[in-house]
Structures are given as C-alpha cells and as structure tokens.
Amino acid sequence: MERSDAGAAGEAAAGDVRRTVAAFSCPTVATARITLPGVMDAEGRVDESRLRRHVFRNVGLLPHERSLVWRFLFGMYPCSSTALERPLLLEQLVVRYQVMKGKWQRLLPSTVNMHINGTDVELIVAIEYFNKRQARVKQESLEYRDEIRERLAFLELQAQILFERFTLDQEELQEAIRIIDKDVPRTNRDLSYYKGEGSGNLLVLRNILITYAAFHPEVSYAQGMNDLCSRFLEVLDSEVDTFWSFSCYMEKFSKDFRADGLHRKIELEAALLKELDPQLYGHLMTNNMESFTFCHRWLLLGFQREFKHSEALRLFEILSCDHLELVSQQVERARYQERLAQKRASDSGTQTHLQSINPDFTFELFICAAILLENRGFLLRCRNDVQLIQFANSLQGTLDLNSTLKKAEQLFFDYCKRRSWDYLSRHCQQPSDSGDLFYLLRNFFVLK
C-alpha cells in the first residue's frame, strides 16, 4: 500500500497556491463528473463500493479528485443521486443552512461578529475580506431570475417551518461560541489556505462551527472540532458544502468528542495492544489506563498532526473509506456461522468459549498500534505520563505514511489470520474449505 512520489509532488504543488475566501456554495460541482474508472454511471450515480475501494487501493486521492469525491465519500450528496437531482438538492441545502445560521444570529446578534484580540492583525484584516464576500453573496442572491427566486422562497418557507420548533439554548450556545472564538484563531494558520485574503476562511470556519453547535446541542462544540472541520473547509472550499459534509461525518463520529466515547477508544487501543504485544501493554498499564491518553489526539483527529499535511489528508480518506474494517458482509456471514456453532454447543450442554475477531478494532486502531510498535524501545524506557506526552508531541510531522500503512495493514492481517485460524482449528473439520472464516477474511484483504 504505497503512493508514488509523483502523486506526492502534485499535492505539494497544490498546497503552494494562495487561497481566497471560500465560496458560499459550489453549484458547478453538483453536476461535475467523477472521472475515476467505473465509479460513476451515465446518469451521474456513484458506485459507493467501487469509490471506497478506489480510495483504499490508491492510498487516497489525487488533489484534483478530492473536492468532488469528498462530497460523496462523506455523504453530502447521496451516491444514488443523479446529475439532474443534485443541483436541486444543493438549493435545498443552501436554503436550510441560511435559515439555520440566520436563526442563531438573530437570537444572539452580539455574537455575529467575532470578538478578537486587537493584536491579531492578520485576523483583523480577515474580517475585511470576509465582509466583502458576504456582500458579494447577498448581491448574487438579488440577481436570481424570477423563477429561481420563487423556488428559493418556497424552499425557505419549508426550512423555516422545519426549524421553527427547534429551540436554541441561549446560555449553552453562548458558552460554545466563547470556546469557538478561542479555538478558531488557533487553527493551523501555517496552511496557505489561511494566508493572505484566505485568512477570511477562519471566519467561514467560525460560522460553520457555531451553526453546527446550535443545532446539535447533544454534541455542541468540543475542542478539536475546529481542526477537523478545517480539513473539510480546505478541501471543499465552500461554506455550505463544508457544513453538510462535516455534519454527515459527525453523525458517525460525534461520540468520539464525548468523554465516554473517547474512553471507549482508548480502552479498545489498549485491548488491541494487549493482543499484539503483551509486554508493551503491561508496561504502559503500570500507571493504569490513563497511560494511553497520549494517543487521544491521534485517534480524535485522525493523526492530523503526526504526518505532513498532504499525507494526513490521504490518511483521513483511507480511514474514512471503511475498506479495511471488520464489518463487511463476508465477515458478518462468518460471524453468523460462529453464532450458530455457539448455539449448537449451548443446546448440547457443552461449555465452550469461542475466540474470534473483535469488530470494534477499526483500522485506525491498527494505525495507532503500528506507531506504538515502531517506537517500542523508546516506550519501554518511559516511566511516567509526562514522558509519554513528550513522546507523542515529538512525532508531529515526522511519520512516513507509506511505511506506517504497510505496518498497520500487516498487523491487521496477522491479527485476523491468527484469530481465524484458532477458531477453525477448533471448530471446523475442513479448514481448507474456501467458505471457512480464514479464507473469507483472507480474500477480503487487499495487500500489496
């Protein structure tokens, strides 16, 4: 699993471009075609399975593919939608976002403009750029043809009815905005996307995060979301498209920003390391489970800072394509056979404990394990949490993606092979049968 130097060079060149303030929405992208072979049919529908497989097998996407593909990969556009349907869907998403943003701005007018440190000259200039874009968006809306204006007015009425009964908690939202206003200026401003006129994108990011917090009170805002959302904004370069793509992503991963969700991930990482290297696990457990909290940022943000920026984007795509997960139809079929065996053993009065794969061990946990095992010697010399945190900070921007992926993939394969073989050796009479769990899993993997 490896990306060529040519692809990396292309990404580096793309990163050198100085950006302007993001568009409010991107209607031209709605009808654009994905050129990846066999992924999009003549009417514009996307074969989601092939798309995800392409992302994994090619170790991420090329820069010119990324913006369009992410809108499908992260769910802003349903893969089943056609090129004729998507512009109408986008109109609905634009209007709904406008209504949602307008609601919190009317409720808390004093928060519409960001309160910033007067010494942050770049951010002060960003407000000027941002206000120019806001005025441009408003002017463009006045230039719509009558039939478009009427359709948008109807969509706005629908959206207002939809969100009318949604009550915003003013006190909680103000607290979320207070934290957002601290975090947004700390977003990675070394990126070209936030330099020059593009510094106004920090305010676009702020609007997206506040709107999300306002209408997702069960999640609201937590530190780290600014970095995660920034990744979407940089790639999609659109306020509306970023909001909906980020929202779709958070439907699946918002639990990671809650204490119980984070603790669960750390527990899983500890359990996986125990499987892979009991000695290292035992050493890190000497100070209880808190010893694994140094992995927190890695798992929360998808290793955003541990690899150089272009590689971190590719890794985020690989982790998000869900190709190497233990939840495929093939694995589910094998687990069903295992449950039947358990039931037969129970009915016959036989006490048995069947060891099998743990479907909660996602590929990102194997990425984390690969990093830990690569630095095994240093970790065994660590004696306290401070040294572990120093170790984690020392890795920022230093890891090689191709090497890490190769190690993680091999760990993933070896774990499943060992578990599957243990199961087969005890419960299957013909382990060479291609329908057995070992062969189902082996055929599922894509190893290079």
Side-chain angles (χ1 to χ4, degrees), residues 222-229 231 249 256-257 265 295-306 312-313 315-316 319 364:
Q223 288 186 320
M225 285 186 186
N226 62 311
D227 287 322
L228 184 60
C229 189
R231 180 179 272 161
Y249 177 88
D256 293 345
F257 286 88
K265 270 199 171 181
C295 303
H296 160 221
R297 189 185 67 217
W298 301 354
L299 297 171
L300 187 67
L301 301 180
F303 310 91
Q304 184 169 353
R305 299 177 185 175
E306 284 58 52
L313 285 176
L315 178 56
F316 186 61
L319 296 176
E364 65 176 343

Side-chain angles (χ1 to χ4, degrees), residues 316-422:
F316 186 61
E317 292 164 343
I318 293 166
L319 296 176
S320 299
C321 76
D322 293 333
H323 185 71
L324 269 192
E325 300 295 353
L326 300 172
V327 291
S328 73
Q329 290 182 351
Q330 292 175 321
V331 175
E332 280 300 313
R333 177 184 165 191
R335 293 176 67 214
Y336 172 71
Q337 296 296 330
E338 181 181 336
R339 288 193 295 270
L340 286 181
Q342 286 177 318
K343 186 177 187 304
R344 286 194 295 268
S346 176
D347 291 344
S348 65
T350 304
Q351 296 297 319
T352 180
H353 176 68
L354 299 182
Q355 286 187 320
S356 71
I357 58 175
N358 185 343
D360 292 328
F361 287 165
T362 52
F363 191 50
E364 65 176 343
L365 298 178
F366 285 88
I367 292 283
C368 187
I371 297 172
L372 297 178
L373 294 177
E374 180 69 12
N375 294 275
R376 185 177 189 273
F378 181 85
L379 289 171
L380 287 173
R381 294 192 297 272
C382 287
R383 291 292 178 265
N384 54 58
D385 287 343
V386 173
Q387 290 179 325
L388 290 174
I389 293 172
Q390 290 174 342
F391 157 75
N393 290 337
S394 72
L395 295 182
Q396 292 191 33
T398 66
L399 299 182
D400 177 75
L401 181 59
N402 289 333
S403 174
T404 303
L405 286 173
K406 186 177 295 185
K407 292 183 180 73
E409 195 176 29
Q410 191 61 51
L411 289 173
F412 183 92
F413 178 73
D414 289 344
Y415 163 76
C416 293
K417 182 173 68 173
R418 183 175 66 254
R419 281 297 200 170
S420 303
W421 185 257
D422 288 347

Side-chain angles (χ1 to χ4, degrees), residues 100 103-105 107 166-171 173 213-215 217:
M100 294 164 76
K103 184 163 185 172
W104 69 259
Q105 289 181 335
L107 176 68
F166 194 99
T167 303
L168 302 182
D169 188 314
Q170 183 170 336
E171 185 175 339
L173 183 55
F215 288 88

Side-chain angles (χ1 to χ4, degrees), residues 21-30 67 71 76-77 86-87 89-98 101 133-134 136-138 140-141 144 152 204 208 233 236-244:
V21 179
F24 186 68
S25 67
C26 295
T28 57
V29 177
S67 176
R71 288 168 165 85
M76 175 192 165
Y77 288 133
R86 285 193 288 273
L89 175 60
L90 178 61
E91 284 186 353
Q92 184 180 65
L93 295 177
V94 167
V95 171
R96 286 189 176 186
Y97 176 75
Q98 287 174 320
K101 185 170 74 169
R133 196 212 64 167
Q134 294 289 82
R136 186 167 63 249
V137 169
K138 185 175 182 180
E140 289 173 354
S141 67
Y144 288 140
L152 294 178
V204 178
I208 295 167
L233 181 58
L236 302 179
D237 201 28
S238 160
E239 183 172 345
V240 171
D241 299 37
T242 295
F243 173 81
W244 292 110

